[in-house]
Amino acid sequence: MSLATHELRKAFGGVTALDGATVDFHPGKVNALIGPNGSGKTTYFNCVTGMIKPDSGRVTYKDRDLTGKAPHRIARAGLGRTFQLCRTFPRMTALENVLAAVPHGGLRSFRTRSDIERAMSWLTRLGIEHLARSEARDMSWGQQKLLELAGVLMAEPETVLLDEPAGGVNPALLDRIGTLIRELNAEGRTFVIVEHNMDLVMSISDHIVVFDRGRPIAEGPPSVIRSDERVLGAYLGV
């Protein structure tokens, strides 16, 4: 009943980004996907969420084959996703950005009291309710990261994929993000996180998968990954 891939492959010209990636993430847990730059992590996320189509292999979620499906269909299956570079609507307010995640009709059709209250509750949960009427382009990078996550959560996904949530974020905001992930996980959401900040990864993850050259080379809890010689060699360079 988890997010999994079997022999996933993707090449760009002569460069192999994914080379038979078989992974099974743990449902109900905080999973991390780590590895050196160029190891295929973001390509993996893009294949899983329908942003690009894999050359071969399968993507399954809760025993349903999602391979090559359109992003909106994958989202409706219960998978939400953020990006390395925030994808917000810069000239829309924070509240409008979150409302845009409601998967029915055009923006005007969302503006029911219940939708607005739910959107405001997510902005409040993430600590940016005071920016509800501010345009996204006027927000800091860290605030836009929180806004993008609020939009993802507005769609009520069961599994959330976060692509470098700590990138460019100040330490205080990073602590908030880490705490929020653990709280949302305790409430029943599964997380898969691509991240380079090892302090964050080791502090919040239950299960870690390590990529190198487009395929997993190790997996396990933080205590195991810290001392795995393959990880030390491929990722930590020792």
Side-chain angles (χ1 to χ4, degrees):
M1 296 294 286
S2 65
L3 174 63
T5 60
H6 179 71
E7 291 292 321
L8 206 63
R9 287 183 166 82
K10 182 65 183 180
F12 300 96
V15 178
T16 299
L18 294 176
D19 188 16
T22 296
V23 184
D24 193 347
F25 292 108
H26 293 192
K29 303 295 184 180
V30 177
N31 301 268
L33 178 58
I34 68 173
N37 288 328
S39 61
K41 304 182 300 296
T42 293
T43 299
Y44 183 86
F45 262 26
N46 287 339
C47 286
V48 166
T49 58
M51 304 303 296
I52 59 176
K53 291 185 178 182
D55 297 329
S56 61
R58 289 188 299 117
V59 178
T60 59
Y61 180 59
K62 299 173 71 173
D63 297 325
R64 179 180 175 184
D65 193 336
L66 298 180
T67 312
K69 302 294 185 185
H72 70 276
R73 294 185 62 184
I74 292 174
R76 288 174 183 171
L79 291 173
R81 184 255 170 99
T82 65
F83 294 82
Q84 284 184 29
L85 300 177
C86 296
R87 296 196 176 188
T88 59
F89 299 104
R91 294 181 180 273
M92 290 169 56
T93 67
L95 179 59
E96 289 170 338
N97 266 273
V98 179
L99 287 169
V102 179
H104 302 294
L107 183 59
R108 291 180 180 176
S109 70
F110 306 158
R111 296 177 181 256
T112 64
R113 181 179 298 274
S114 62
D115 286 333
I116 292 172
E117 288 177 350
R118 194 158 63 89
M120 282 301 302
S121 72
W122 280 118
L123 290 174
T124 300
R125 183 85 183 264
L126 273 72
I128 53 174
E129 71 280 5
H130 60 292
L131 298 170
R133 303 297 177 185
S134 300
E135 293 185 352
R137 61 179 175 170
D138 295 326
M139 298 169 65
S140 71
W141 179 254
Q143 290 167 342
Q144 289 188 53
K145 286 260 188 180
L146 293 173
L147 176 58
E148 184 185 33
L149 179 55
V152 169
L153 294 169
M154 185 70 176
E156 299 292 347
E158 296 174 292
T159 297
V160 182
L161 288 75
L162 304 179
D163 199 347
E164 298 192 21
V169 172
N170 68 53
L173 198 54
L174 184 59
D175 287 342
R176 185 190 304 172
I177 290 173
T179 299
L180 180 67
I181 290 170
R182 291 305 297 179
E183 289 176 352
L184 292 168
N185 172 248
E187 293 167 13
R189 284 184 174 82
T190 298
F191 281 86
V192 182
I193 304 169
V194 165
E195 186 50 67
H196 288 290
N197 186 314
M198 288 299 99
D199 289 338
L200 178 65
V201 168
M202 294 298 173
S203 66
I204 67 173
S205 301
D206 301 303
H207 181 73
I208 301 173
V209 177
V210 185
F211 262 30
D212 189 34
R213 300 181 183 182
R215 64 169 61 197
I217 60 168
E219 64 177 282
S223 59
V224 171
I225 296 302
R226 282 193 186 99
S227 58
D228 191 295
E229 292 184 0
R230 293 166 298 179
V231 178
L232 295 175
Y235 189 64
L236 303 178
V238 296

